[in-house]
Amino acid sequence: MSDKFDVIVIGAGPAGYVAAIRAAQLGLKTACVDAFVGKDGKQALGGTCLNVGCIPSKALLDSSKQYFNLAHNLPAHGISVENAKVDMATFIGRKDKIVKQFTGGIGQLFKANKVTPFFGKGKLLKGNNVEITGNDGSKQTISATNVILASGSVPIELPFAKFDGKYIIDNAGALDINEVPKRLGVIGAGVIGLELGSVWNRLGAEVTILEALPDFLAVADQDVAKIAKKEFEKQGLAIKLGAKLTKAEVKKNEVALTYEDKDGAHELTVDKLLVAVGRRAYTDGLLAGDTGVKLDERGRIVVDEHNHTGVDGVWAIGDAVRGPMLAHKGSEEGVAVAEWIAGKAGHINLDTVPWVIYTEPEIAWAGKTEKELKDAGIPYKIGTFPFAAIGRAVAMNEAIGQVKVLAHAETDRLLGVHMVGPGVSELIAEAVVAMEFKGSAEDLARIVHAHPTLSEAVHEAALSVDKRAIHKGN
Ligand code: FAD
Ligand code: NAD
């Protein structure tokens, strides 16, 4: 086979593999180079998301939720089970099977779409050539008219709490613990800290989360964050805000931590420490010195609004570039870039990328927070509706949280929708569609929503923007 392609994608995460499939669908001869090694020592396509991110974390979140419900939710339904136990081999094994199913599925999709996979580390050379170094050190060079860089991200390491894979762990480590730790410390009350902290808390670990910032979930709307924090604390997560880790020392099968907050220095001993303080764009070894591709001050590949790097035929997508580090954001960039390369009208709108945190209750939002609107001086109206007044949520015994709609005070255009409660990971899609179509609160309010469903909370919150919610006082 010729080693000249129309498109080479470096990285087969949700940004890269989707870009490769879309490019191939458009008739472009496409290769995808990826270096990820799975648990079985073989190439595992799908990147962080499929191997050690979105998919395995959701598998463990779901298993742990079933267990937690046995003790904490089912008794209210009159159902009780004695001596419930978790078999850890099955718990972790089920997750591994799901990962294998999905990573293997990418290989099949590549075959079906005639994408040529390469296993190894890709380096962009000048002139859109890509040097691939295999695990055995062997080298080959392929070239293309267009190269899409989709090298993703890796966890940020704290210099005084370096990952050792056993006691001080990252996301991959926290997805592969074989015995429930008695005490789990988590650094960072961000998305990973809350999701993976929840998994182990539900199985009985004492989880303490240290967060450096004084506000909880500062990226989310603060009304939502407040409700969520209260619920997480009820579940047993100990969340310490304004707490800065200063020392982490592994001693005799334990990790001794020192942290500082407004009251001074404190000590905490845990059996494992998950460090989840954010991720950095991964570009180590990706670029030869003379390619002309630039990195910004945070190490991300610099791109314009079309994900073009400014170097002829070189594009970049996903976690390696600006914007939220989310799988669906990277995938949509991948589709858009493949379409731009094929001369079509690609499209990506970073303003309506939804965020979902898969805790209990779930958290989801799209668009601006109330604080962002205030800071920008944009006049807005607010509508809210609690799940406590939604029949379906009460029937499920999950009547926690609310939907909050922010609309422009003069035009009524939807500016942000923020949810915390049951099933909001699915409910947010309606808000995203409405916002993408530049809809108004009135539009959402006039759409028929099935009864009794959780989606009625979105309907009522939209009605409440103009003080005409039916099932609460306005
Ligand atoms: P990645 O998925 O990181 O893939 C990059 C790939 O490129 C990797 O396979 C890497 O090995 C390979 N690579 C890098 N450099 C080279 C090179 N030079 N040569 C060859 N190969 C290379 N996002 C969500 O939207 N929803 C979630 O629920 C969610 N949950 C998450 C849970 C966890 C625990 C973590 C860690 C992340 C989660 N994310 C989630 C974020 C999501 O995983 C990332 O946003 C997404 O994987 C980014 O996709 P990407 O393709 O840009 O990069
Ligand atoms: P994050 O940015 O979500 O959270 C990191 C948290 O750590 C922040 O609250 C930050 O203030 C805090 N922090 C930073 N330095 C600290 C320090 N020294 N001590 C204590 N706290 C500190 O990062 P993450 O949780 O590592 O996740 C990385 C990214 O992965 C997320 O931002 C998200 O883009 C993606 N992700 C998404 C999902 C999802 O979509 N459900 C799930 C997991 C991860």
Side-chain angles (χ1 to χ4, degrees):
M1 181 186 300
S2 153
D3 52 7
K4 171 86 190 168
F5 292 87
D6 296 318
V7 176
I8 299 170
V9 185
I10 302 182
Y17 85 73
V18 169
I21 290 173
R22 185 69 187 123
Q25 280 177 351
L26 290 165
L28 300 165
K29 187 179 168 198
T30 304
C32 186
V33 185
D34 194 278
F36 202 99
V37 182
K39 263 183 144 179
D40 58 5
K42 297 191 181 135
Q43 180 172 34
L45 300 168
T48 304
C49 178
L50 272 66
N51 285 287
V52 289
C54 328
I55 297 298
S57 61
K58 269 75 249 179
L60 296 192
L61 276 159
D62 204 66
S63 294
S64 61
K65 178 179 160 183
Q66 309 281 4
Y67 179 71
F68 189 81
N69 279 348
L70 279 178
H72 300 275
N73 198 7
L74 294 189
H77 294 263
I79 302 166
S80 57
V81 178
E82 275 171 28
N83 299 325
K85 281 198 300 273
V86 180
D87 175 62
M88 288 307 291
T90 309
F91 180 79
I92 296 291
R94 188 187 88 97
K95 178 263 303 177
D96 287 341
K97 235 195 219 157
I98 293 168
V99 167
K100 190 118 185 88
Q101 178 188 338
F102 278 85
T103 56
I106 307 296
Q108 285 162 13
L109 288 171
F110 275 5
K111 223 177 244 164
N113 287 284
K114 300 194 174 54
V115 173
T116 308
F118 286 88
F119 185 17
K121 178 108 185 152
K123 180 190 246 182
L124 178 71
L125 309 177
K126 204 173 171 180
N128 300 355
N129 295 309
V130 174
E131 178 189 80
I132 304 167
T133 306
N135 275 0
D136 56 359
S138 63
K139 286 192 193 293
Q140 65 176 313
T141 301
I142 57 176
S143 63
T145 317
N146 288 279
V147 177
I148 305 174
L149 306 171
S151 53
S153 64
V154 288
I156 293 173
E157 190 166 57
L158 294 175
F160 44 88
K162 285 198 179 283
F163 299 121
D164 62 18
K166 189 167 178 198
Y167 297 104
I168 303 183
I169 54 178
D170 61 7
N171 54 294
L175 290 165
D176 241 342
I177 301 177
N178 291 315
E179 198 182 329
V180 181
K182 193 168 168 322
R183 300 156 301 178
L184 174 70
V186 179
I187 310 301
V191 196
I192 294 180
L194 292 172
E195 288 188 354
L196 296 183
S198 292
V199 165
W200 296 105
N201 173 56
R202 291 170 190 171
L203 297 194
E206 262 169 47
V207 177
T208 307
I209 308 184
L210 305 182
E211 165 60 48
L213 292 180
D215 293 324
F216 179 65
L217 265 185
V219 287
D221 192 89
Q222 283 303 291
D223 284 347
V224 160
K226 216 161 114 191
I227 295 169
K229 181 164 180 278
K230 204 166 131 204
E231 292 302 322
F232 298 156
E233 285 174 338
K234 266 198 229 159
Q235 290 161 18
L237 288 175
I239 301 168
K240 300 193 185 295
L241 299 177
K244 291 193 184 77
L245 182 73
T246 51
K247 200 164 146 196
E249 231 184 323
V250 178
K251 292 182 187 165
K252 283 199 210 144
N253 299 333
E254 295 182 332
V255 194
L257 309 179
T258 309
Y259 67 93
E260 280 171 18
D261 63 14
K262 60 179 181 6
D263 302 321
H266 308 267
E267 316 253 292
L268 176 73
T269 304
V270 295
D271 301 297
K272 282 196 191 286
L273 179 68
L274 163 62
V275 179
V277 294
R279 297 176 63 84
R280 66 168 174 90
Y282 179 65
T283 57
D284 301 6
L286 177 69
L287 305 166
D290 56 355
T291 60
V293 174
K294 290 191 184 67
L295 303 182
D296 68 13
E297 69 295 344
R298 287 170 59 185
R300 301 173 300 190
I301 301 167
V302 174
V303 288
D304 64 14
E305 71 279 15
H306 289 109
N307 291 80
H308 195 257
T309 63
V311 175
D312 202 20
V314 182
W315 313 72
I317 56 177
D319 280 11
V321 304
R322 83 289 177 258
M325 287 184 164
L326 296 172
H328 40 282
K329 173 263 191 185
S331 296
E332 291 309 318
E333 285 179 327
V335 168
V337 165
E339 293 181 351
W340 284 319
I341 289 173
K344 297 195 171 296
H347 164 262
I348 169 93
N349 179 6
L350 295 183
D351 290 338
T352 52
V353 175
W355 276 85
V356 175
I357 307 180
Y358 297 82
T359 43
E360 282 296 312
E362 293 181 337
I363 298 168
W365 73 89
K368 302 268 185 262
T369 63
E370 192 175 344
K371 179 170 186 308
E372 284 170 336
L373 294 178
K374 239 182 224 160
D375 290 349
I378 298 169
Y380 60 90
K381 306 177 277 186
I382 305 178
T384 59
F385 198 82
F387 281 103
I390 293 292
R392 186 75 194 281
V394 174
M396 290 161 66
N397 197 36
E398 292 186 40
I400 286 166
Q402 67 165 22
V403 173
K404 171 173 172 179
V405 171
L406 297 166
H408 196 284
E410 288 137 26
T411 66
D412 195 43
R413 182 164 164 183
L414 288 166
L415 300 173
V417 178
H418 302 270
M419 308 177 173
V420 53
V424 299
S425 56
E426 302 294 339
L427 297 186
I428 196 64
E430 175 182 10
V432 174
V433 171
M435 289 170 78
E436 192 61 41
F437 282 103
K438 307 201 174 4
S440 60
E442 176 80 14
D443 288 327
L444 278 184
R446 288 199 177 272
I447 291 170
V448 182
H449 289 70
H451 175 75
T453 63
L454 299 173
S455 72
E456 288 172 292
V458 181
H459 188 218
E460 289 271 11
L463 283 163
S464 140
V465 167
D466 279 326
K467 307 206 179 316
R468 53 193 174 108
I470 302 294
H471 295 93
K472 71 163 198 174
N474 289 287

